[in-house]
Amino acid sequence: MTMVRTPPPLPVRDKAAARALSPMLNRLAEERATGVLVREHGTLYLAEGRVVHAESPLAPGLDVLLTAHGTLATAAWQRAATAAEGPLLAAELLLESGLLPAGALELCHLDALYDAGYFALAPSSTPGRFHYDGAPRTGPLPSVPVVALERETLRRRLQLHRLWPDPAADTAPLIRADPLLPRDTGPAPSAPAGPARRTPVAPRQRAVLDRVDGTRTAADIARELGRQAFHTLVDVRRLAAAGHLRPLAPVGPVPTAPPPTAPEQARNLPPPLPPVTDPDIALLKRLRDALEAL
């Protein structure tokens, strides 16, 4: 009797792992790691596998969100930042001193965390680096599970894509565009083509459009307005979809003329010198010959 051996089942890839924005971050969450994850566009602070703080050069910090609209006096934040190490400890100091209501601080803290976390989890060209450190800790401010931060980041990406699929305006300097002129920025294939229709600008978007000057980026405008960077991106993409602004095209290198070919080099050479027919030289030659004959 012949025995037939059943082959082992093929391994099934974890669908959740395939959708992970950062496999390293998910591994750190599983091992309940504490430390700092540095990525190309931002930094995530972990305590026992949860995100307690996030920073990104593309997003306003907690200090901007607290002081821009009068929630906290700028001088009060500066005193707390001088007395504490880092914005998270400064916020806890303000909470303990009673200068901020707990609800307002928690709301601004979560807004800043999700805002910077969105950029920190953006696709990067360099690998992330994690530094194990006992400094980050779970304090009175709320922390966020890694899965919640990734889920919110994916939701925000999808929202921006539906508004306007070309992400060039997210990071480039912005310039105003005439809504009646055809778009010349090379939109994404799924973007509508042809001239943009004139649409009214809401007051919130008007504040963004008024600061478009060819040098400011969306992140610069968000800091000036004291708004979350993601909410500013929503306004920027809506304005881009309506044809009110577009990203400034990068300036490439000045083209140089190609080196001349061999025929061109031959044509550019100076004409050859004419043969020497100076009579003085001929006379000197005859004198030399006569002297040699003596």
Side-chain angles (χ1 to χ4, degrees):
M1 182 176 180
T2 304
M3 299 294 294
V4 178
R5 179 174 297 178
T6 305
L10 295 175
V12 179
R13 187 177 182 183
D14 186 3
K15 295 182 179 180
R19 293 192 302 267
L21 299 179
S22 172
M24 176 186 290
L25 180 60
N26 281 264
R27 291 195 301 269
L28 294 170
E30 290 176 358
E31 67 181 56
R32 297 176 62 86
T34 297
V36 181
L37 176 60
V38 181
R39 290 174 55 88
E40 184 177 6
H41 302 294
T43 304
L44 299 176
Y45 295 80
L46 303 181
E48 300 179 3
R50 296 173 64 91
V51 182
V52 296
H53 183 56
E55 296 176 352
S56 172
L58 300 175
L62 179 61
D63 56 335
V64 176
L65 299 183
L66 285 173
T67 60
H69 304 288
T71 305
L72 179 70
T74 304
W77 174 265
Q78 292 175 347
R79 288 193 299 268
T82 303
E85 183 178 356
L88 197 60
L89 295 179
E92 294 179 6
L93 182 61
L94 291 169
L95 185 61
E96 294 172 359
S97 61
L99 295 176
L100 269 177
L105 180 55
E106 291 178 3
L107 181 60
C108 287
H109 167 68
L110 289 176
D111 287 344
L113 191 155
Y114 278 110
D115 202 33
Y118 169 81
F119 295 100
L121 291 178
S124 61
S125 58
T126 58
R129 304 184 308 276
F130 185 73
H131 306 281
Y132 286 91
D133 186 2
R137 59 182 178 82
T138 54
L141 296 178
S143 59
V144 174
V146 168
V147 63
L149 178 59
E150 288 193 331
R151 183 169 57 245
E152 176 62 16
T153 299
L154 289 173
R155 186 195 68 81
R156 295 185 178 199
R157 286 186 189 178
L158 180 60
Q159 180 182 356
L160 290 178
H161 182 79
R162 287 173 174 171
L163 290 173
W164 182 249
D166 186 3
D170 293 355
T171 55
L174 302 171
I175 59 175
R176 301 184 67 154
D178 188 344
L180 298 181
L181 294 179
R183 296 188 181 94
D184 56 356
T185 56
S190 57
R197 297 179 179 178
R198 185 183 294 274
T199 57
V201 179
R204 179 183 177 86
Q205 298 173 11
R206 173 60 62 184
V208 174
L209 190 60
D210 288 343
R211 286 163 175 79
V212 172
D213 59 355
T215 60
R216 293 186 179 97
T217 63
D220 298 330
I221 296 174
R223 288 189 183 89
E224 290 191 16
L225 294 175
R227 297 178 182 175
Q228 297 177 48
F230 173 74
H231 291 171
T232 305
L233 290 184
V234 170
D235 293 330
V236 165
R237 293 223 188 178
R238 283 175 173 163
L239 290 169
H244 293 290
L245 60 79
R246 59 186 176 89
L248 183 65
V251 179
V254 179
T256 57
T261 60
E264 292 177 348
Q265 290 179 343
R267 288 196 301 267
N268 295 332
L269 291 176
L273 295 175
V276 178
T277 57
D278 193 338
D280 293 338
I281 297 179
L283 177 60
L284 290 174
K285 288 182 178 181
R286 289 197 298 272
L287 290 175
R288 182 195 62 188
D289 296 339
L291 291 174
E292 290 178 354
L294 294 177

